[in-house]
Amino acid sequence: MSQDPTKARLIEAAGQEFASRGFEQATVRAICERAGANLAAVNYHFGDKGGLYTEVLHEAHRCGRLEMEEVEALGGSTPADRLRAFIRLFLERVLVLGCQPGWQHQLMLREMFAPTAYSEALVRDVIRPRFEYLKGVLAELCPEADDRRLNALVFSVIGQCLHYKFARRISEHLIGAEGLAGLDAAYLADHIASFCLAALGEAPTLNRAGEAHPIHPNSPREVEVKP
């Protein structure tokens, strides 16, 4: 079913207002004026300003998020394959959101660096299931790791991916637009996955060109230990 047009206009207007002014400074009156709706429409559709903000956060995250159906459908006969597939899919969503000219990216940045109480529902319903999936994959790769180590490993993987969203403008100043464009999802997914798997001992160390060595299927895995 298509969304009610007034509700859709309110979400879009609220997204713009919240992204530019923040939750506390944005007003329901300004949002309704921007949406061409009356003040009662917010209460009717969302209950109150907080309910509207919660819906807007979900909408902002929806533009670049992994659907659990996609995550659960990730193939691969090994946890290493599933890690590679997760990183590729996650990066594709991250880079799309980072390139959007709209309010979604700006609002997620604001919420990331100054979270409100309304992000709790987003974390519970949307982010945590993906976190637990990746944690499960890493637990297969590191069966002796305790919970603290697994949490750190998950954040290490995700942090590398999120860098290309949150530091996009600075990165472009550093290496230029053409250089940044060369770091597309396919290239970065292979790089990050190879880097992580080498660190986990699931692949040989990278060579002097920073590339992953292919593993011969009949060769035992060897990890070089340097004094």
Side-chain angles (χ1 to χ4, degrees):
M1 296 180 64
S2 60
Q3 189 178 65
D4 181 281
T6 301
K7 184 177 181 179
R9 292 201 311 275
L10 283 168
I11 291 174
E12 181 66 23
Q16 297 172 20
E17 195 73 12
F18 287 136
S20 62
R21 298 177 61 82
F23 176 76
E24 294 296 336
Q25 297 300 317
T27 66
V28 171
R29 182 176 297 278
I31 291 169
C32 289
E33 288 177 355
R34 188 189 287 262
N38 61 57
L39 289 173
V42 169
N43 290 339
Y44 176 78
H45 288 287
F46 307 101
D48 56 17
K49 179 182 174 183
L52 173 57
Y53 188 72
T54 299
E55 183 67 28
V56 168
L57 276 182
H58 277 74
E59 179 62 26
H61 198 269
R62 187 179 296 118
C63 295
R65 81 182 184 201
L66 289 176
E67 298 296 342
M68 276 310 296
E69 293 81 2
E70 296 176 286
V71 174
E72 292 167 354
L74 292 176
S77 58
T78 68
D81 291 336
R82 290 192 290 278
L83 178 63
R84 284 187 176 275
F86 181 93
I87 290 172
R88 173 64 182 269
L89 194 57
F90 184 67
L91 267 173
E92 288 174 350
R93 301 301 188 275
V94 163
L95 295 182
V96 166
L97 184 59
C99 293
Q100 285 180 333
W103 53 264
Q104 291 87 348
H105 179 56
Q106 184 180 352
L107 181 62
M108 291 306 295
L109 280 175
R110 181 185 286 276
E111 190 66 27
M112 179 68 69
F113 292 111
T116 66
Y118 300 100
S119 64
E120 293 179 6
L122 182 68
V123 170
R124 181 188 67 242
D125 300 334
V126 178
I127 299 175
R128 183 172 297 283
R130 286 82 177 160
F131 180 91
E132 295 298 340
Y133 174 88
L134 181 55
K135 190 173 179 178
V137 171
L138 290 166
E140 291 184 77
L141 291 168
C142 304
E144 298 181 12
D146 61 17
D147 197 61
R148 180 172 68 167
R149 180 66 62 187
L150 288 173
N151 287 336
L153 289 171
V154 172
F155 289 134
S156 292
V157 175
I158 295 299
Q160 292 183 75
C161 298
L162 289 180
H163 167 81
Y164 295 96
K165 177 168 87 170
F166 294 125
R168 182 171 186 84
R169 292 185 179 179
I170 295 299
S171 298
E172 187 170 342
H173 284 305
L174 286 170
I175 64 176
E178 185 175 348
L180 189 59
L183 300 178
D184 57 22
Y187 183 89
L188 289 174
D190 180 69
H191 167 72
I192 293 172
S194 296
F195 195 86
C196 291
L197 289 170
L200 294 170
E202 291 294 322
T205 56
L206 305 184
N207 64 22
R208 292 188 178 183
E211 300 168 336
H213 292 284
I215 302 177
H216 191 280
N218 297 322
S219 299
R221 187 180 69 193
E222 295 182 358
V223 179
E224 181 183 1
V225 179
K226 297 182 179 180

